[in-house]
Amino acid sequence: MHRSWPNNRLSRRLLVTSTAAALLATTAVAGPATAGSQVDTAVEWYDVTAAAIDTGTRPQVTSSRAWAISWLAAARALRHAPGVRAYQDAALASAVHTGLSALVPENTAALDAALATTLARIPAGTARDRGIAAGRAEASTLLAQRADDGLDPASVNPPFPTPTPAPGIWQPTPPTFTTGQQAGNRFATPFLLDRADRYRPDPPPALGSARYLADLAEVRVYGGADSTARTQAQTDTATFWLGSSLVLYTGVLRAALAQSRKPAAWRAQLVALFHVALVDTQIATSDAKYAYLRWRPVTGIQAGDDPTWTPLHTTPAHPDYPSGHNTYSGAAEQVLTALVGPRARQPFTITSPSQPGATRTYDRWRPLTDENVDARIWSGIHTRSADEVGVDLGRRVAAHALRNAHLLLG
């Protein structure tokens, strides 16, 4: 089992970047999909996808799977006829429509209407017909291949027996004391990982160790509901990044897509590989969480000398180590850095469902990761060790996905 980063991280990063660049180079010879006032079909269907996938009714990884399948089908279909706009637009829209119609059937009517809008502006003819057929065929093939992959809601959240109470061992947390969630992710079929524990990190700091005591003390001081050490800016950061990582990063990936000057095939691959990497990351995260079953800070602090301590935000119902928010941010940063570069072409602004009305503007991907690390501590729901190890795990799984992307894209 691979337990540690290689010594030469720069070489590894260059390898990942060069591998990804070589993979996408074959489609990076034409201009962007838009010209003048023409509709950008990739962005159009990105927004259709975001609207169709209701993240409030499905586990996050199930929603990530819907993104991955639909856009991977589009990426495969767009490998053909790269210079024919009618084919490209029809193939992209038809692939995503077919995938989403199967995976979120309750939104079929809206998806049908979106497809009709797209197809109505594409000139009738052989190119459009071929594009429609290719998109449908690629999506149907992928849907069949990913059937019974263990990422449906029931498989993701099977009944999980609460472990026998013991020092350091995860227990349901207040106020709801919900049983362990997302325990089934670790048994799902990844897209590119050969096994869920391929990059499982080393165990968390030992109870009573200097690192463990420092971790818990930091959360106790800065993450408490009544903390006097936490500043308003830190509280705002914790609240902004509290919600679903999938929702929070939807605007980030959209900015990378909309700002790209690459052709449609490359842009579809960007969206597809982002979500393929994130599905595999969430599987690896579940593996590590339920392998180590490390208790949450609220449990450790209350078991010590502060039984009335409560966190700023409600603790999610699964173990502490590693932090899922930070495996997500680490993987997202890795994909965007390798395929787009370390910064966006232009500053972009995102919103947060957990802090309505607030916006944050960035021009690089790394600050989002850094904020996620601190945010979970200031929320009182993760230790710094869980956050930092989470970032590393996400980066490593994403790097694996990029190195092996040719197995999915051809």
Side-chain angles (χ1 to χ4, degrees):
M1 196 176 299
H2 195 137
R3 295 287 188 180
S4 59
W5 281 95
N7 291 330
N8 193 338
R9 294 191 184 194
L10 177 60
S11 296
R12 183 186 181 97
R13 179 173 294 180
L14 291 174
L15 173 62
V16 172
T17 304
S18 61
T19 302
L23 174 66
L24 302 185
T26 57
T27 60
V29 294
T34 57
S37 61
Q38 287 183 318
V39 175
D40 186 330
T41 303
V43 173
E44 176 188 38
W45 276 87
Y46 188 94
D47 292 341
V48 169
T49 306
I53 297 176
D54 184 353
T55 55
T57 60
R58 289 179 172 80
Q60 179 172 278
V61 72
T62 303
S63 296
S64 296
R65 171 183 182 258
W67 275 94
I69 290 174
S70 301
W71 281 82
L72 181 55
R76 288 180 173 181
L78 266 64
R79 292 177 300 179
H80 310 292
V84 182
R85 175 69 184 268
Y87 172 93
Q88 295 276 294
D89 286 355
L92 190 154
S94 296
V96 178
H97 171 271
T98 301
L100 293 178
S101 295
L103 297 169
V104 285
E106 67 273 19
N107 288 327
T108 296
L111 291 165
D112 288 348
L115 182 63
T117 297
T118 301
L119 295 181
R121 68 171 182 264
I122 302 174
T126 301
R128 186 179 76 169
D129 293 344
R130 288 181 57 237
I132 293 171
R136 288 175 178 170
E138 293 289 0
S140 297
T141 298
L142 266 172
L143 287 165
Q145 291 173 346
R146 296 297 302 184
D148 302 319
D149 61 4
L151 291 171
D152 58 283
S155 298
V156 167
N157 280 319
F160 181 76
T162 298
T164 301
I169 299 299
W170 179 82
Q171 294 291 297
T173 52
T176 60
F177 297 96
T178 304
T179 57
Q181 301 294 293
Q182 303 173 31
N185 284 6
R186 67 197 197 278
F187 302 126
T189 302
F191 278 89
L192 287 167
L193 281 179
D194 56 340
R195 64 178 197 263
D197 66 352
R198 166 60 64 186
Y199 298 105
R200 183 187 292 174
D202 290 333
L207 297 183
S209 66
R211 180 60 191 264
Y212 171 80
L213 295 175
D215 278 346
L216 217 58
E218 182 181 24
V219 178
R220 180 178 177 179
V221 171
Y222 288 96
D226 58 356
S227 171
T228 58
R230 187 181 59 246
T231 66
Q232 185 59 52
Q234 291 169 336
T235 300
D236 289 343
T237 297
T239 303
F240 189 91
W241 288 106
L242 181 63
S244 161
S245 293
L246 173 63
V247 175
L248 286 159
Y249 272 88
T250 293
V252 180
L253 181 58
R254 188 189 191 279
L257 178 71
Q259 293 178 16
S260 173
R261 297 178 180 177
K262 299 292 180 66
W266 188 96
R267 298 164 85 214
Q269 290 175 13
L270 170 65
V271 178
L273 292 178
F274 182 96
H275 285 286
V276 162
L278 266 301
V279 169
D280 283 7
T281 295
Q282 289 169 89
I283 291 171
T285 301
S286 177
D287 164 75
K289 279 182 177 290
Y290 285 94
Y292 294 125
L293 287 173
R294 173 50 61 92
W295 62 12
R296 286 281 186 161
V298 63
T299 309
I301 293 170
Q302 290 185 354
D305 59 357
D306 199 348
T308 64
W309 185 91
T310 57
L312 172 64
H313 294 127
T314 300
T315 301
H318 42 74
D320 176 60
Y321 184 93
S323 160
H325 261 58
N326 282 286
T327 60
Y328 198 107
S329 60
E333 180 196 337
Q334 183 75 21
V335 172
L336 292 170
T337 300
L339 300 186
V340 178
R343 62 176 60 243
R345 294 183 63 86
Q346 302 171 2
F348 61 93
T349 299
I350 60 173
T351 60
S352 169
S354 52
Q355 194 180 26
T359 62
R360 294 197 171 215
T361 300
Y362 306 89
D363 62 2
R364 295 177 296 126
W365 320 119
R366 178 61 182 267
L368 286 77
T369 303
D370 294 340
E371 287 184 15
N372 265 283
V373 169
D374 288 332
R376 305 308 267 180
I377 298 162
W378 297 334
S379 283
I381 56 182
H382 271 304
T383 60
R384 186 168 294 276
S385 289
D387 292 343
E388 292 177 346
V389 167
V391 171
D392 278 354
L393 176 59
R395 287 174 176 160
R396 295 171 71 188
V397 175
H400 180 102
L402 295 174
R403 287 196 305 274
N404 292 281
H406 63 281
L407 299 175
L408 293 178
L409 295 171

